C-alpha cells in the first residue's frame, strides 16, 4: 500500500445519491469512516450528511445524461480526492407500460439515464482508475438485466444493454487492475417504483394482466435495501469480486430459471445453429 492509500480511508464515487440504494450506500460508507464523492442532481438533499460528516463527504451536482458534465465532475472528484477506490454507477429510472404505449420522450429518458449515462460514467472513470494503477467499478444492473417481464421493456433494454457494454469493458480493463461487477438486485423497496411514470393504456393491452403497471404489492418486494447495500460494500473490498452478483431470492430464482430455459432452447435448435456455416469452412486450429 502506497503512502496516499495508507493515509486516506477507502474512497467511493457514486451517482444518484439523493435516494434509495445510492443514498443508503452513502450513509453506510460515511458511518464506517470511508470518504464518499456523492453525485446527484440536487446536492442540497445531502445537507444533513454534509453537516454530520464534513470533509469526508464530497458533493457535486451531476445529471448523468450530460456527457460533458459527467467527464468534468468525475475529473474534479479524482483531482480533489486524489484517489478513488470504488466507483458506483447507480443512477437509474424505470417506466411502466407496454412497448407500444411508450412515448418517444420516455424512451430517450430511460436510455440516456440507464444506458448511455452509465456508459459515459464508466468511460469517464476508467482513465483515472488506470492512471492510479487500478480500482473497482460497480455497475447497478438488475435482475431485469438478465430476464424480461412484459410492461418493462424499456428498462430491460437499458439494463441488458449496459450488461453487454460492461461485460466487454471488464475484459478490456482487467489488465490495468480494474475489477468490474454488475450488481443485479431483484425487487427492493425504494422510491424507484413510485417514481417510475406509467403510460396511457392502449385499449388492446388493457385486459392483459401480465403487463406490469406499477402497482407492485409488498409481498412481491422481497429485497432488503440494507442487505443489498452491505453486499455492494463487500464487493468493493473483496479480493476477487464476481463479474455479476444476483441479490435477492427473486433475482436468483428468475434469472437462473431464465438461463436454464435459454440454454434448453439453444440446444433444441442446435442443428439449425450449427448448420448455418460455410460449406468450405474449417475450424481454426487454436492448439
Ligand atoms: N429498487 C429496486 O428494486 C432495484 C432493483 C434492481 C436494480 N435497481 C437499480 O438500482 C439503482 C438505484 O435505484 P433505487 O432503487 O435506489 O431507486 P431510486 O431511489 O429512485 O434512486 C434512483 C437514483 O437515481 C437518480 N437519478 C435518476 N435520474 C438521474 C439522472 N439523470 N442523473 C443523475 N441521477 C439520476 C435519482 O435522483 P433524483 O432524485 O434526482 O431523481 C436517484 O438518486 C438504479 O440503477 C435501479 O435501476 C433497483
Amino acid at each position: 500500500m502506497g503512502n496516499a492509500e495508507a493515509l486516506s480511508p477507502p474512497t467511493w464515487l457514486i451517482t444518484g445519491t439523493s435516494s434509495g440504494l445510492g443514498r443508503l450506500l452513502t450513509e453506510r460508507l460515511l458511518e464506517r469512516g470511508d470518504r464518499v464523492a456523492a453525485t446527484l442532481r440536487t446536492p442540497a438533499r445531502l445537507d444533513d450528511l454534509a453537516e454530520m460528516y464534513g470533509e469526508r463527504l464530497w458533493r457535486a451536482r451531476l445529471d448523468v445524461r450530460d456527457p460533458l458534465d459527467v467527464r468534468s465532475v468525475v475529473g474534479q472528484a479524482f483531482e480533489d480526492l486524489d484517489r478513488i477506490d470504488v466507483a458506483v454507477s447507480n443512477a437509474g429510472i424505470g417506466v411502466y407500460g407496454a412497448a407500444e404505449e411508450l412515448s418517444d420522450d420516455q424512451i430517450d429518458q430511460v436510455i440516456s439515464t440507464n444506458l448511455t449515462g452509465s456508459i459515459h460514467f464508466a468511460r469517464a472513470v476508467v482513465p483515472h482508475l488506470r492512471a492510479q494503477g487500478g480500482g473497482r467499478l460497480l455497475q447497478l444492473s438488475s435482475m431485469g438485466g438478465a430476464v424480461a417481464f412484459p410492461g418493462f421493456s424499456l428498462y430491460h433494454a437499458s439494463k441488458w444493454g449496459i450488461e453487454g457494454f460492461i461485460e466487454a469493458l471488464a475484459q478490456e480493463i482487467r489488465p490495468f487492475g480494474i475489477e468490474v461487477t454488475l450488481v443485479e438486485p431483484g425487487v427492493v423497496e425504494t422510491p424507484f417504483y413510485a417514481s417510475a411514470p406509467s403510460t396511457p393504456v392502449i385499449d388492446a393491452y388493457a385486459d392483459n394482466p401480465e403487463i406490469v403497471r406499477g402497482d407492485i404489492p409488498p409481498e412481491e418486494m422481497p429485497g432488503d435495501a440494507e442487505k443489498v447495500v452491505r453486499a455492494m460494500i463487500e464487493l468493493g473490498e473483496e479480493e476477487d469480486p464476481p463479474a455479476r452478483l444476483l441479490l435477492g431470492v427473486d433475482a436468483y430464482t428468475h434469472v437462473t430459471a431464465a438461463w436454464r430455459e435459454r440454454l434448453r432452447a439453444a440446444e433444441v435448435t442446435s442443428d439449425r445453429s450449427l448448420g448455418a456455416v460455410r460449406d468450405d469452412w474449417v475450424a481454426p486450429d487454436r492448439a
Side-chain angles (χ1 to χ4, degrees):
M1 192 182 274
N3 266 352
E5 285 169 74
L7 292 175
S8 59
T11 303
W12 298 62
L13 167 64
I14 310 169
T15 64
T17 55
S18 67
S19 71
L21 299 174
R23 158 98 195 191
L24 191 59
L25 176 62
T26 303
E27 285 177 22
R28 294 296 169 263
L29 291 168
L30 290 168
E31 274 166 21
R32 69 178 208 152
D34 290 7
R35 288 192 306 177
V36 180
T39 72
L40 63 170
R41 291 194 286 192
T42 317
R45 291 181 67 178
L46 297 186
D47 281 352
D48 56 332
L49 298 184
E51 203 167 301
M52 284 164 75
Y53 296 106
E55 286 197 346
R56 276 200 293 111
L57 175 64
W58 181 100
R59 273 185 295 177
R61 183 184 312 280
L62 179 61
D63 185 325
V64 297
R65 292 170 299 179
D66 183 332
L68 290 181
D69 270 4
V70 171
R71 262 197 293 280
S72 92
V73 167
V74 167
Q76 197 62 52
F78 276 89
E79 195 176 318
D80 291 354
L81 298 169
D82 196 33
R83 179 182 173 87
I84 286 169
D85 301 287
V86 188
V88 186
S89 182
N90 166 75
I93 56 172
V95 58
Y96 302 108
E100 221 188 311
E101 296 165 348
L102 299 167
S103 70
D104 293 351
D105 184 56
Q106 286 171 328
I107 294 171
D108 283 349
Q109 295 307 320
V110 174
I111 297 299
S112 63
T113 306
N114 299 4
L115 179 56
T116 47
S118 297
I119 291 172
H120 294 311
F121 181 73
R123 278 172 38 81
V125 156
V126 163
H128 297 283
L129 296 181
R130 192 161 47 75
Q132 71 183 18
R136 193 148 297 184
L137 173 63
L138 305 185
Q139 171 64 55
L140 262 293
S141 175
S142 165
M143 72 172 168
V147 294
F149 302 106
F152 231 40
S153 59
L154 192 47
Y155 185 73
H156 296 309
S158 70
K159 294 295 189 183
W160 283 58
I162 198 58
E163 291 236 352
F165 175 83
I166 290 289
E167 189 163 325
L169 174 76
Q171 297 168 70
E172 294 168 6
I173 63 182
R174 190 166 303 124
F176 307 127
I178 306 169
E179 302 285 352
V180 187
T181 299
L182 284 156
V183 181
E184 299 172 316
V187 180
V188 186
E189 196 168 0
T190 68
F192 178 88
Y193 296 96
S195 310
S198 297
T199 55
V201 177
I202 294 177
D203 284 350
Y205 295 97
D207 297 330
N208 184 346
E210 300 294 310
I211 295 177
V212 182
R213 293 277 179 204
D215 40 5
I216 299 180
E219 63 272 20
E220 287 177 29
M221 292 194 165
D224 181 324
E226 287 286 355
K227 289 182 180 171
V228 168
V229 160
R230 203 178 310 148
M232 286 162 66
I233 294 175
E234 284 165 12
L235 282 171
E237 297 175 326
E238 201 170 326
E239 190 71 18
D240 189 15
R244 287 184 166 74
L245 185 61
L246 293 164
L247 291 170
V249 65
D250 51 346
Y252 186 82
T253 309
H254 285 302
V255 173
T256 52
W259 284 339
R260 274 195 285 272
E261 173 52 23
R262 284 188 95 182
L263 181 60
R264 188 202 63 78
E267 284 168 354
V268 165
T269 51
S270 63
D271 285 352
R272 279 187 274 168
S273 305
L274 298 171
V277 71
R278 272 173 23 209
D279 288 337
D280 63 347
W281 184 76
V282 179
D285 182 2
R286 300 207 189 273

